[in-house]
Amino acid sequence: MTDRTDRDGGVGLVVLLALALAVAAVGLAMVSREVAEPFVLAILAALAVVGVFCLFAGAVGILYFGQRHARNDLTKAFVDNLPHGALIADNSGRVVYANRAYRDLLGLDAEAPVPAPDRAFGGNPYLAEPIFRLARAAQQGRTLKEEFRLPPPGEVEDEGAVEPRWFRISVQPMPPEPGSGRKGPLTVWQVDEVTQDRLREESSFAQVQAAIDYLDNAPAGFFTADADGRIEYLNATLAQWLKLDLTEIAAKRLTLSQIMSQDNAALLGGAGRGENHGNAQGGVRRFDFDLLRTDGTTMPVRVLHRLPRGNQLAHVLILNRGPGEAQEADAAGLRFTRIFQSSPFAIATVDADGAVSATNAAFSRMFGADADAGSGKIKLETFVDEGNRQDLRKALEAAIAGQGLIDPIDVTFAGPGQSSGRIYLNSIADAQDTGEAAIAYALDTTEQRALEVQFAQSQKMQAVGQLAGGIAHDFNNMLTAIIGFSDFLLLNHRPTDPAFQDIMNIKQNANRAAGLVRQLLAFSRQQTLRPQVLQLGDVLSDLSILLDRLLGENIELSLESAGDLWPVKADLHQFEQVIVNLAVNARDAMPDGGKLAIRTANVTEAQSGELGESHMPAGEYVMIEVRDTGTGMTDEVKQKIFEPFFSTKEIGRGTGLGLSTVYGIVKQTGGYVFVDSEVGAGTSMRVYLPRYEEGTAGVDQEPAKLERKPEKPKDLTGRGTLLLVEDEDAVRSFAARALGTRGYEVLEASTGAEALEVFEEHEGNVDLVVSDVVMPEMDGPTLLKRLREQNPDIKIIFMSGYAEDAFKRNLDENEEFMFLQKPFDLKTLAATVKSALDD
């Protein structure tokens, strides 16, 4: 043991000094004064020098004057008896204290000098790095621990050499105690030999490795899986059967669905977890089905599955049934079991009491873990809704009685989700021998029924849209004539005339009717759109002022727009109409006030796929949600809200075209609209518009090649020869008279063929053609192509009650034309013609 701590002076030194001074005094007293005086002066001078030195040394801390600190013998005894070596060194590396265990670990004699660990172990090149890290940590006052082996692994040891030893060395700073007089901190080194621990670990590891090697080379496949179906371990035999690379398995964990079908994975994952299962958890069940190899082939196996306890691992033993290994008697049963388990249809056998006695994997997947009956007694009728149980019970009684040709039963399955299906029942002839009386086959028809409903709704909306579009076209022709001739009457009546106000009322109501027709065209997706790239956040911000006025003071409006919202391509005015219609509809649903929230967000392709809307393809969309706290809607109302003229409001308070207009505009823009509503809980309307990316296809509608909205010139008169083609007599009469009074020479034709004859009679001397689009015998686009053959530079204005896009597809890509939407008034007609001729 080495101890250099607190070496304090003793009283003996002081006594010796006092005796020496006394002897010197007696000696000097015995000599003469002349002889003694130099000695006395020398002694006094020496004492003065020593005194002054001690004063300065005490002031700067070289000497410490105070009471000697008593040693803590209990602490020292505790450190001396530690099982591991302990050493204390100062900041210069000088050893201050080392216990007995440290000497014993290094094999030092009692009188041998004690080196610090960095010097004792630093001579080995293999230990250079860990020892350097420890020494560096000691200098920096950090705590660090290192572990190493001597001799190093891989060194050739002489025969009969000492067994390898493992050491663990740690450093820890120890600050100086207050009042100890020591300036710098100390470092505590701990050295412990952990050879026995490492030998035990190596022995345990070798045993585990031997067990794994044994399991890997076993003649049967084996794997363990957790409760979520993730494979934790798979032995080499099974990996070889499945043609799997074990190195890839270690890097990427497998799941049950990757080595077997989804149904069989669900069967194993849910086996034994049903509350009604007859077998206790921890038992073993047997299955026969196919495993999937990486090359896509299958292999028949017998699976011994240990049921899990809670979330513990499930242990699965795979027995390969190769060619020729099964007996002929067992081969047929194995083949049937494989077919039974691999069937995509849910199959269950039913006994004479109507209880399920055996199920396949698809049945367990369809009805959950409780359907895996085992030895349990679960009635088949418990899997369907109460309203269908009586029909199922009658059909089951007929099957148990041996009756054939039983009609399938359409049912709603029990449980959440309102899933539907169809159940087929067949009788088993040898029921008395097997205890099984019937076989039930179940098909999930939920998605099929949803598609049927959607298809029927889509057909109905399409039919109504076609009807609305046809009505709108005819109405536009009538309204054009009414508005046009009203303008003629207004030209001949002054505002002071009694009839002037009556004529104005006729025109105003005709314009109101034109607004309703535009809504019908919007629903039937036959209106003209002028799409442009929009930032919906900016559009909604600008629209909020109008919405505040529309909603009133008792409704709180909030806007929540995503900061990085994607752009969309839509008609600005039509989109604003969509938001206004939704807001007004929400306002009417909150007669006593409430909250209206408009929220926008980006929807990624993955998120759109998770919405569960089968008729909306996955893609990137921008969502606009309008959510209110109103009265909500029933399911019956939700099925009809987009139909034109359907309204829940009182008579005279709405036309029933608001939401149908929203539906048409959104659809024509390439988007989708959905509604979520609950009576008493409010309604949420969600609009999804496709994300616009530059260089990609946008919405269906594109601006016309010669799109312009010129200001109406003040002088609407002009000169030139016009060919007016219109099959509606009233519209043609109004347009010809209106253009004739403005100074144009108007040539009239009621059909396309007649227009060609008139054009030839005037030898092509026509400055402008004004033609309807939909006409008998020859439509407007066909007429234009025929006229281009005779005069390639002919100018044309198409007028129609349908959308511009409805006929634009029939024209050449670079064809230039102007479009006049019906109904129009006299000034709009004259201004459009004037603009076309001046171009």
Side-chain angles (χ1 to χ4, degrees), residues 212 214-223 233-240 246:
I212 293 176
Y214 174 80
L215 190 58
D216 274 342
N217 297 299
F222 180 82
F223 72 86
Y233 169 76
L234 182 142
N235 71 342
T237 302
L238 183 57
Q240 182 180 4
L246 286 176

Side-chain angles (χ1 to χ4, degrees), residues 333-395:
L334 178 61
R335 187 180 304 111
F336 169 76
T337 304
R338 290 172 55 201
I339 296 174
F340 181 70
Q341 294 293 350
S342 302
S343 172
F345 311 116
I347 306 175
T349 56
V350 184
D351 61 17
D353 296 329
V356 175
S357 56
T359 62
N360 70 341
F363 198 92
S364 300
R365 171 182 54 80
M366 182 177 294
F367 297 108
D370 290 348
D372 186 13
S375 60
K377 294 292 182 180
I378 308 174
K379 294 286 187 178
L380 179 64
E381 62 187 45
T382 60
F383 296 114
V384 302
D385 189 76
E386 293 184 1
N388 303 122
R389 291 181 180 178
Q390 185 174 359
D391 294 337
L392 178 61
R393 195 177 299 118
K394 290 180 180 180

